[in-house]
Amino acid sequence: MLTGTRGTRWLMRLSVAALVLAVAAGLSVVASGPSQAAPVVNPNAGKLVAQADFQVKRDGFSFENWGPNDALHARGLSVEGMRAVFGDEVCARIVFGVCSPTTVAELLQQEFNESMAGGHCFGMAALAGLYATKRLNPFPLALPWQPVYSIGPSAPLDELIARMFITQGFPPTDLVQSQVTVTQALSRLRSAWARKDNYVLAIYTDEEQSAGHAINPIAIRDLGQGRRGIVVYDNNFPGVEKMIVADPAANSWYYSTATNPSEPTLLFQGSPVNKMMLVPLAPILARHQDPELRTDETVVMVSDNNGGARGAGDVDWDVRVTDPAGRAIPGVDKKILFNNDNTATFTVPANRMFRIIVDGVEAGRTADIDATVLSAGGVVAMGDLEVPAGAVAAIDADPVRHGMRVTSSAPSTAEFQVATENSLRSLSTGTTQLAIGPGSAVSVGATSPTGVTVRSEGRAQRLRLEVERSDTFTDRIAVSPGSISLPAGATITVPVNLWPGFGPLPATVRSGPSITPVPLSPR
């Protein structure tokens, strides 16, 4: 979990006054156990005043939101899904209609799928809304006489949900998201429903906006005393309606939900600072800006591999982007993806060096951090850096040369990948786990005129390398035949820019005056 009040995310409670107001308004409150006293509101409370053409057991899904792939959900975002969202630019070549991805697109596909470990709620809400408003036909997943609710999990449906999920982070979808007051939300929903349209309704847990969730608004009810209930389909809870309780006069709201009294209550609290967000449905189907071609900004994704769709197993931690000296950078924008709370994205002004700092891990826990830096012409990524409680990890990023240097106050390991492309070919270089910790650091990047370098500072390393080259003809791979020794202070240079794709790839290790050849073999 990201920046916020650590250790209290799902245990936040409404004040006694709020509980009294809820009861006074005539709401039916379901107790959630003695340790979590937030109210769960009866979605049939009050008087119906407006509704969308949406029924949870017709237009919602019969299965609940999920995180990592499992036995029921075996497929994530595919290459064809990337192509459907971003266009043919993600393809190194297209043969008989089949897209072979660039190495950059392949790396991003992996990063996008890992970002959904905390849930697919935005993708599920977007697809349910598109089906319900007839913008998208569920055939052949459902026959014309079958409701969406009858569709069980399948690889094609999983992939389609994943495809919808990633649109939230790129134009045009991210440009049309709007934070709204309670009054604006109620007005826009009623207007949309009158014209048979709708929105995805996105909410954050608190004013720190440390966790997000996306749901479908389906009705408005008058709860008395000026309060309104927004009835929703929540993809965490299939087949049932839930309700957000809103106070237009105070511009505040809360959403408290659980399936039964034995489960922890999930509480989201809105305020004039923590507003609701409405996302129009139509732009989600449009072609989105190809992240590989973005030149105006650097895109940063930081995620934690812990946790699931409902927050189980989540670890609280903090992340921020500063300049290399730790100062704020004007123009940096942070956003939490709507998938629970294990992924944050930042946009940083183009060509600006910066630092990503991860710390504040809750006591007794360890965050498992991935970080990806995407800039014009390529991407550099780090995976599986363990940051325990009390530790501070820093990632110094050079987006121009697609490089990063990683340090940590606690011992850990991480793997790295650098992918670049031009009009003729794309290249990627990946490492196995490298040691990082007190007194040691690792730097990787496209920092050599001939290709990629990996440098170890403070300690010796052993690693394996894999290089992939994709062009209009074929894909070629070269690997190190065994572990490569990298002495402390040494640099290995992998001249991927000069490799034609056949024959050995002549990497070299430079340690002081010593130069050792370590050729990588084609596979």
Side-chain angles (χ1 to χ4, degrees):
M1 298 169 84
L2 306 180
T3 305
T5 305
R6 292 186 291 278
T8 62
R9 189 80 67 241
W10 304 121
L11 304 179
M12 294 170 59
R13 304 178 184 178
L14 293 180
S15 66
V16 173
L19 291 174
V20 171
L21 283 172
V23 175
L27 308 184
S28 174
V29 176
V30 180
S32 58
S35 63
Q36 286 110 41
V40 177
V41 181
N42 179 354
N44 294 313
K47 177 183 177 182
L48 180 68
V49 295
Q51 66 182 104
D53 184 16
F54 191 111
Q55 299 175 24
V56 293
K57 288 192 175 181
R58 183 192 68 190
D59 304 298
F61 295 104
S62 59
F63 52 89
E64 69 180 47
N65 183 21
W66 78 101
N69 288 356
D70 55 25
L72 279 180
H73 302 280
R75 183 192 293 181
L77 180 67
S78 69
V79 172
E80 286 303 318
M82 292 270 289
R83 184 183 178 192
V85 174
F86 299 118
D88 291 346
E89 287 80 8
V90 302
C91 306
R93 62 188 177 279
I94 302 172
V95 180
F96 300 116
V98 177
C99 170
S100 294
T102 67
T103 60
V104 175
E106 198 169 31
L107 176 54
L108 287 176
Q109 177 192 353
Q110 174 184 329
E111 297 301 312
F112 286 147
N113 277 318
E114 290 180 358
S115 75
M116 288 179 257
H120 295 68
C121 63
F122 186 87
M124 295 183 73
L127 188 57
L130 291 166
Y131 281 155
T133 56
K134 307 298 189 292
R135 280 190 169 86
L136 203 60
N137 192 328
F139 180 84
L141 297 175
L143 297 176
W145 58 86
Q146 293 179 311
V148 170
Y149 194 76
S150 70
I151 308 174
S154 68
L157 181 58
D158 293 348
E159 198 279 333
L160 189 54
I161 289 171
R163 185 188 308 179
M164 300 300 164
F165 176 91
I166 66 172
T167 63
Q168 64 178 297
F170 300 93
T173 297
D174 71 338
L175 298 179
V176 296
Q177 301 170 3
S178 57
Q179 293 191 24
V180 292
T181 65
V182 171
T183 299
Q184 290 170 331
L186 296 172
S187 176
R188 293 188 190 183
L189 290 177
R190 295 183 72 157
S191 296
W193 297 342
R195 61 178 187 270
K196 307 299 182 184
D197 199 359
N198 209 341
Y199 292 89
V200 171
L201 175 58
I203 54 177
Y204 290 110
T205 48
D206 46 42
E207 292 185 355
E208 286 79 15
Q209 297 190 337
S210 49
H213 190 38
I215 50 187
N216 297 91
I218 60 177
I220 297 172
R221 303 186 75 90
D222 185 345
L223 303 178
Q225 298 187 352
R227 295 156 69 86
R228 295 291 184 269
I230 303 176
V231 183
V232 300
Y233 157 58
D234 184 334
N235 44 70
N236 280 339
F237 305 99
V240 296
E241 296 178 348
K242 298 290 182 178
M243 182 185 282
I244 298 172
V245 177
D247 184 342
N251 192 20
S252 64
W253 53 269
Y254 70 84
Y255 177 53
S256 182
T257 183
T259 52
N260 60 64
S262 66
E263 289 198 354
T265 298
L266 311 184
L267 178 61
F268 295 72
Q269 288 181 296
S271 68
V273 175
N274 183 27
K275 298 179 180 179
M276 299 177 183
M277 182 177 289
L278 293 178
V279 185
L281 292 169
I284 295 172
L285 291 177
R287 176 174 168 176
H288 285 63
Q289 182 179 356
D290 183 354
E292 301 173 48
L293 303 179
R294 192 161 190 168
T295 59
D296 57 333
E297 292 175 318
T298 298
V299 178
V300 180
M301 295 189 295
V302 185
S303 61
D304 182 3
N305 290 322
N306 296 292
R310 293 200 196 177
D314 281 336
V315 177
D316 288 347
W317 49 281
D318 300 337
V319 60
R320 56 196 178 277
V321 168
T322 70
D323 73 3
R327 299 178 298 245
I329 301 176
V332 170
D333 184 38
K334 177 185 176 183
K335 177 185 176 185
I336 307 300
L337 291 185
F338 295 108
N339 72 326
N340 198 335
D341 59 348
N342 74 336
T343 302
T345 64
F346 297 83
T347 53
V348 182
N351 305 324
R352 180 76 183 259
M353 297 181 70
F354 56 89
R355 174 172 292 174
I356 305 165
I357 301 171
V358 177
D359 59 9
V361 178
E362 65 181 290
R365 304 296 301 277
T366 297
D368 187 358
I369 300 298
D370 295 348
T372 304
V373 177
L374 172 66
S375 52
V379 60
V380 57
M382 176 214 71
D384 295 330
L385 177 70
E386 293 191 341
V387 183
V392 179
I395 304 163
D396 290 301
D398 180 352
V400 175
R401 300 196 295 175
H402 309 296
M404 62 170 55
R405 178 178 182 269
V406 181
T407 60
S408 178
S409 64
S412 184
T413 62
E415 59 186 15
F416 298 87
Q417 191 167 356
V418 181
T420 59
E421 67 180 29
N422 60 26
S423 60
L424 299 177
R425 82 291 181 273
S426 63
L427 304 160
S428 73
T429 303
T431 76
T432 50
Q433 296 283 331
L434 296 172
I436 297 166
S440 65
V442 171
S443 300
V444 302
T447 54
S448 164
T450 63
V452 172
T453 62
V454 180
R455 178 175 175 80
S456 178
E457 303 173 29
R459 63 169 295 165
Q461 306 271 3
R462 295 189 67 83
L463 73 156
R464 292 177 181 267
L465 294 172
E466 179 173 300
V467 172
E468 181 179 359
R469 174 191 167 107
S470 296
D471 55 35
T472 56
F473 298 104
T474 189
D475 299 334
R476 301 172 180 87
I477 293 176
V479 298
S480 52
S483 294
I484 300 171
S485 295
L486 191 62
T491 299
I492 182 168
T493 300
V494 189
V496 293
N497 296 344
L498 305 180
W499 186 50
F502 50 85
L505 175 54
T508 55
V509 173
R510 181 181 294 273
S511 179
S514 173
I515 300 177
T516 305
V518 284
L520 278 61
S521 304
R523 188 178 67 187

